[in-house]
Amino acid sequence: MEAFLISTGIVALAEMGDKTQLLALILAARFRKPWPIVWGIFVATVANHAMAGAVGAWVNSVLGPDVLRWVLGVSFIAMAVWMLIPDKMDDDGDPSAPRFGIFWTTVVAFFLAEMGDKTQIATVMLAAKYQAFYWVIAGTTVGMMLANAPVVWLGERMTRLVPLRVVHIVSALIFMGLGVWALLAEF
């Protein structure tokens, strides 16, 4: 259960202001049909994070506990720094209907946008740390949905409630704490 809860919290925080959250806002503004967008986000996230979790489990099996501890510690600290660099996404302004429908457009766009993204890398690290593949994937998926589904339904009104800079700083502090903890604690 710890793997699920930590994975949910880390990804939900890491996703705030991320390019995929901006993508959710763009898709919601463009198509104004929340359900196919939310389901597309869910399917893309499960597929992408399952792949990332498999990589994390593989890393855990290849590296010894001491090397893994250092890799995870440094990776979490690097994520803390990365959290302080806001993501931007350009809108090409093309208002035409998607060729393959809103759902499939969302699935493909989200899957590709997640490649190499903070939340995908966090999923790799969490799967490497916790030997609970399904709990990590479930947690990271719930975290993504907690961060993105409200954006699809509420849009830009949410961004006025809490400044993204504050969310990025809090997230960076959490990642920094996890990094230091991983470097100092025994697995």
Side-chain angles (χ1 to χ4, degrees), residues 156-179:
E156 66 185 51
R157 285 177 278 173
M158 285 184 47
T159 60
R160 286 186 246 140
L161 294 176
V162 178
L164 287 179
R165 187 71 182 148
V166 170
V167 174
H168 284 179
I169 290 170
V170 169
S171 300
L173 290 171
I174 291 169
F175 275 111
M176 183 64 70
L178 288 169

Side-chain angles (χ1 to χ4, degrees), residues 13-176:
L13 283 171
E15 185 62 13
M16 295 297 166
D18 191 68
K19 68 182 173 227
T20 48
Q21 192 177 49
L22 297 174
L23 177 60
L25 183 60
I26 290 167
L27 290 169
R30 182 174 289 172
F31 300 125
R32 300 193 188 283
K33 293 192 185 246
W35 283 108
I37 295 169
V38 168
W39 281 110
I41 292 169
F42 177 76
V43 169
T45 300
V46 169
N48 194 291
H49 287 199
M51 183 178 67
V55 169
W58 174 78
V59 165
N60 188 17
S61 70
V62 171
L63 300 178
D66 289 333
V67 173
L68 182 61
R69 180 170 54 93
W70 281 97
V71 168
L72 288 173
V74 170
S75 296
F76 276 123
I77 292 169
M79 287 289 289
V81 173
W82 195 2
M83 286 303 304
L84 298 175
I85 303 168
D87 286 321
K88 293 176 177 64
M89 177 170 278
D90 294 328
D91 185 5
D92 62 5
D94 181 15
S96 61
R99 182 177 187 171
F100 298 107
I102 296 168
F103 171 78
W104 286 110
T105 298
T106 303
V107 169
V108 171
F110 258 80
F111 186 86
L112 294 175
E114 265 301 286
M115 297 303 287
D117 194 53
K118 290 182 284 240
T119 50
Q120 186 189 43
I121 294 169
T123 302
V124 170
M125 294 184 315
L126 289 162
K129 176 170 178 37
Y130 296 103
Q131 296 178 7
F133 176 82
Y134 295 107
W135 285 113
V136 169
I137 303 313
T140 60
T141 300
V142 168
M144 283 289 281
M145 298 312 293
L146 286 172
N148 286 305
V151 169
V152 173
W153 280 299
L154 301 176
E156 66 185 51
R157 285 177 278 173
M158 285 184 47
T159 60
R160 286 186 246 140
L161 294 176
V162 178
L164 287 179
R165 187 71 182 148
V166 170
V167 174
H168 284 179
I169 290 170
V170 169
S171 300
L173 290 171
I174 291 169
F175 275 111
M176 183 64 70

